[in-house]
Amino acid sequence: MKTIILEIMYILAGLVAVAAAFNALKDKKHPHPKETAAFWGIFGLIFLFGKYVPGYVIGVLIIVIGILAALNRVSNGSMETAEESERAKSAEKLGNKIFIPALTIGVVAFLVAQYIKSLGSLVGLGFGAIIASIVAILMTRAKVKHIPYEGGRLLLSVGAAAILPQLLTALGALFNEAGVGEVISHAIGGIIPQGNILAGVIAYCLGMALFTMIMGNAFAAFAVITTGIGIPFVFSQGANPTIAGILALTAGYCGTLMTPMAANFNVVPAAILNTQNKNRVIISQMPLAFALLITHIILMYTLAF
Amino acid sequence: MLSLVGILIILIGFIRKYNPIAVVLTAGIVTGLVSGIDIVRILDILGTTFVKTRYMSLFLITLPVIGLLERFGLRERAVTLIKSIKSVTSGRILIIYTFFRELAAAFSLRLGGHVQFIRPLVHPMAQGAAEKNFNEIDENEEDIIKGHSAAAENYANFFGQNVFPAAGGVLLVVGTLETFDITVIPLEVSKAALPVAVIAFVFAIIQNILLDRKLKKNHTKQTQKANA
């Protein structure tokens, strides 16, 4: 049951990507309409038919979209939503009611995840999105054609980076097959005493923060550090994976707060606010990030074991 | 040892700011090849994992309705709401913003951002409150208020988002652990994100109270000097 519903959800998600592809093709001012359309079109097709195609064929398709992205041929273009004056007028008219569909997504997802455990949060997210769409259409009397248009517009503005979490997990799988984890744990086995839980926890949290600071991306750090430190020094010692896993990720976020490598979060905001010191945002965040990182170590040590 | 070359590629690639998709793919393929996995098997692992992790990109189905709501003034209404915050100090304005932004993130509501909210709204309000309270704000104080305003957005966004059971971070944890045959449930993972969400907010409150105190102390000193 759950698998069938999920497969339908993937089809809907794939259709949003296909809509983005069509939007890019129709956008007369788009710098790379064909390449961008190919990227989202292939991505959409993987969602629609991925289950029925051999893995290595999908692998080739991923290389193709990877090359398109690497050549910077996947971009946003010039799709517009309604005029500002129209948006302001409609915001005035709808008032706070406009938040109802937006909150519906989250509320439905929570309710399904909590009370229909056999379906889980992903199906909940899908139901939430569908119900929210219906509520939004009834409320705004929007034309149905706006649905694919606006979905495609937003996906184009999110951009190619949207596929990164999936790629990083695939990278983790490749690392795993290649035995990268064993090599790292062997190499640092001399530094981190075997069988010492606290040492493992500290290494995992600090490793996440440091690696995130170097790379500017906690998601990428998570795949690497979990393979190298998390599995051999924390999970293998009997940590609750649910708790230790998410704490490791947010320990990485503490690193994000402290690094200029995370330009979108720390450098660009300083620039748009015209700060005198271009590291001002990081300076402001430093004390909190540091305190929170220590908190992570304490929480992981006490809650996960 | 050779298999570590993938990590090196990732490090260099991200530091040099090469396209992250290209970096990740290169790292994966090179790691596989130097470890003696044949190319068809590499492509198969890549493709199979990608199809298996389609759930990570399920947020795509929420985009049409969010885009539609934007068309009908979602952002404009949020701006009106933030403008209606009546608060007397810079720190308190930032605390209130952090609270609502974090709550929105927990419900996966993508409303916020430095460009959309901090620059045009939150920072001017925080700066305005300080000017009203202390007449003159020096350049250094102005800079600190800017830094704290930008930080509020990051705190709320980072530590609120994983409370949502279908958040990208939650699904990344689920998916990564799955490659090691460790099964965890998204809802449970998101519940485990709650303590950090709360503690991060408490820390943000403390930091912003300290900001208010600092501003007040700076300026009482100045008035005392002026009186003496």
Side-chain angles (χ1 to χ4, degrees):
Chain A
M1 182 68 178
K2 184 183 169 184
T3 343
I4 298 169
I5 299 177
L6 263 182
E7 205 58 41
I8 296 170
M9 303 287 176
Y10 293 146
I11 292 173
L12 293 176
L15 290 176
V16 175
V18 173
F22 276 109
N23 281 356
L25 277 183
K26 274 195 275 180
D27 182 352
K28 295 217 162 59
K29 283 186 224 149
H30 200 291
H32 309 291
K34 283 185 193 135
E35 294 93 328
T36 304
F39 181 93
W40 290 116
I42 293 172
F43 184 70
L45 289 179
I46 295 176
F47 269 70
L48 295 173
F49 305 112
K51 214 182 140 193
Y52 315 102
V53 179
Y56 64 88
V57 178
I58 305 285
V60 173
L61 290 175
I62 291 166
I63 304 288
V64 173
I65 62 177
I67 292 171
L68 290 171
L71 297 173
N72 290 320
R73 295 295 162 89
V74 184
S75 56
N76 189 1
S78 65
M79 298 189 50
E80 298 287 345
T81 183
E83 293 287 329
E84 202 183 330
S85 58
E86 266 178 61
R87 297 201 308 264
K89 215 169 83 187
S90 140
E92 180 85 14
K93 199 175 112 199
L94 291 168
N96 289 335
K97 262 190 355 196
I98 196 159
F99 293 116
I100 294 174
L103 286 170
T104 301
I105 304 172
V107 171
V108 172
F110 268 120
L111 289 178
V112 172
Q114 181 68 40
Y115 296 107
I116 316 179
K117 289 237 157 69
S118 58
L119 293 180
S121 60
L122 290 163
V123 172
L125 180 74
F127 282 166
I130 293 167
I131 296 171
S133 304
I134 295 168
V135 174
I137 292 174
L138 292 177
M139 187 185 279
T140 60
R141 286 158 209 258
K143 296 194 184 85
V144 176
K145 69 167 188 194
H146 285 148
I147 289 273
Y149 179 87
E150 293 292 336
R153 174 181 69 82
L154 266 193
L155 185 55
L156 285 173
S157 74
V158 174
I163 75 168
L164 214 49
Q166 277 185 267
L167 281 186
L168 286 165
T169 313
L171 176 76
L174 275 167
F175 276 2
N176 194 23
E177 180 95 356
V180 173
E182 285 107 65
V183 177
I184 301 184
S185 58
H186 219 76
I188 55 175
I191 310 167
I192 307 170
Q194 282 289 343
N196 185 327
I197 291 173
L198 183 61
V201 166
I202 292 172
Y204 195 22
C205 290
L206 289 187
M208 274 301 301
L210 276 176
F211 228 67
T212 304
M213 287 174 75
I214 296 169
M215 302 205 291
N217 186 316
F219 275 26
F222 188 74
V224 176
I225 298 297
T226 298
T227 309
I229 303 178
I231 296 292
F233 296 101
V234 177
F235 294 103
S236 70
Q237 302 204 62
N240 176 332
T242 303
I243 297 170
I246 192 69
L247 283 174
L249 184 69
T250 46
Y253 290 4
C254 296
T256 314
L257 292 173
M258 297 191 274
T259 177
M261 292 301 299
N264 282 345
F265 299 114
N266 299 332
V267 181
V268 176
I272 59 173
L273 287 168
N274 269 321
T275 56
Q276 305 244 316
N277 184 333
K278 67 178 169 50
N279 288 321
R280 173 55 66 192
V281 178
I282 296 173
I283 297 170
S284 279
Q285 290 169 170
M286 204 61 114
L288 186 141
F290 199 74
L292 202 55
L293 183 56
I294 307 287
T295 309
H296 273 84
I297 294 172
I298 298 168
L299 285 179
M300 195 185 287
Y301 187 61
T302 52
L303 298 181
F305 287 92
Chain B
M1 248 351 233
L2 213 53
S3 61
L4 293 183
V5 71
I7 293 175
L8 201 68
I9 292 173
I10 294 221
L11 271 178
I12 294 170
F14 275 81
I15 291 171
R16 297 292 300 269
K17 301 214 185 305
Y18 293 134
N19 182 290
I21 294 174
V23 172
V24 171
L25 281 175
T26 312
I29 293 168
V30 172
T31 303
L33 287 177
V34 299
S35 310
I37 306 172
D38 78 277
I39 184 75
V40 178
R41 174 87 185 115
I42 292 172
L43 289 171
D44 190 46
I45 293 172
L46 197 61
T48 314
T49 318
F50 200 85
V51 170
K52 225 168 49 190
T53 55
R54 283 177 297 170
Y55 62 84
M56 288 184 177
S57 301
L58 209 56
F59 74 91
L60 258 65
I61 45 177
T62 66
L63 295 181
V65 61
I66 299 291
L68 193 72
L69 292 171
E70 281 184 8
R71 185 179 198 94
F72 285 89
L74 180 68
R75 210 159 257 170
E76 284 70 17
R77 186 63 203 172
V79 167
T80 315
L81 271 191
I82 292 173
K83 275 188 188 154
S84 71
I85 298 175
K86 300 256 181 302
S87 208
V88 278
T89 68
S90 312
R92 275 188 222 164
I93 287 168
L94 295 180
I95 291 170
I96 293 171
Y97 178 76
T98 309
F99 178 77
F100 284 106
R101 176 71 177 92
E102 194 167 340
L103 204 65
F107 279 91
S108 90
L109 229 156
R110 290 153 192 263
L111 257 186
H114 292 106
V115 179
Q116 298 90 335
F117 285 94
I118 299 298
R119 168 74 214 234
L121 268 178
V122 179
H123 168 254
M125 286 169 68
Q127 170 75 16
E131 280 169 6
K132 208 164 98 193
N133 292 339
F134 309 113
N135 292 321
E136 258 182 54
I137 298 291
D138 68 30
E139 277 185 350
N140 186 39
E141 290 168 334
E142 204 175 297
D143 228 35
I144 293 174
I145 294 172
K146 283 178 180 172
H148 280 52
S149 301
E153 165 71 25
N154 286 340
Y155 300 153
N157 177 22
F158 290 6
F159 301 105
Q161 54 177 256
N162 290 324
V163 174
F164 186 64
V170 169
L171 299 178
L172 181 80
V173 170
V174 173
T176 305
L177 292 180
E178 206 166 35
T179 60
F180 298 101
D181 294 321
I182 301 175
T183 309
V184 293
I185 300 159
L187 179 68
E188 300 304 319
V189 175
S190 69
K191 281 182 184 164
L194 203 55
V196 167
V198 174
I199 293 169
F201 179 58
V202 171
F203 284 177
I205 293 176
I206 295 171
Q207 190 178 28
N208 284 306
I209 289 175
L210 290 176
L211 169 72
D212 277 345
R213 284 220 187 134
K214 185 179 173 157
L215 289 173
K216 203 170 171 186
K217 205 171 127 200
N218 283 355
H219 289 277
T220 41
K221 247 192 258 161
Q222 277 170 13
T223 5
Q224 276 166 0
K225 261 189 217 157
N227 289 343

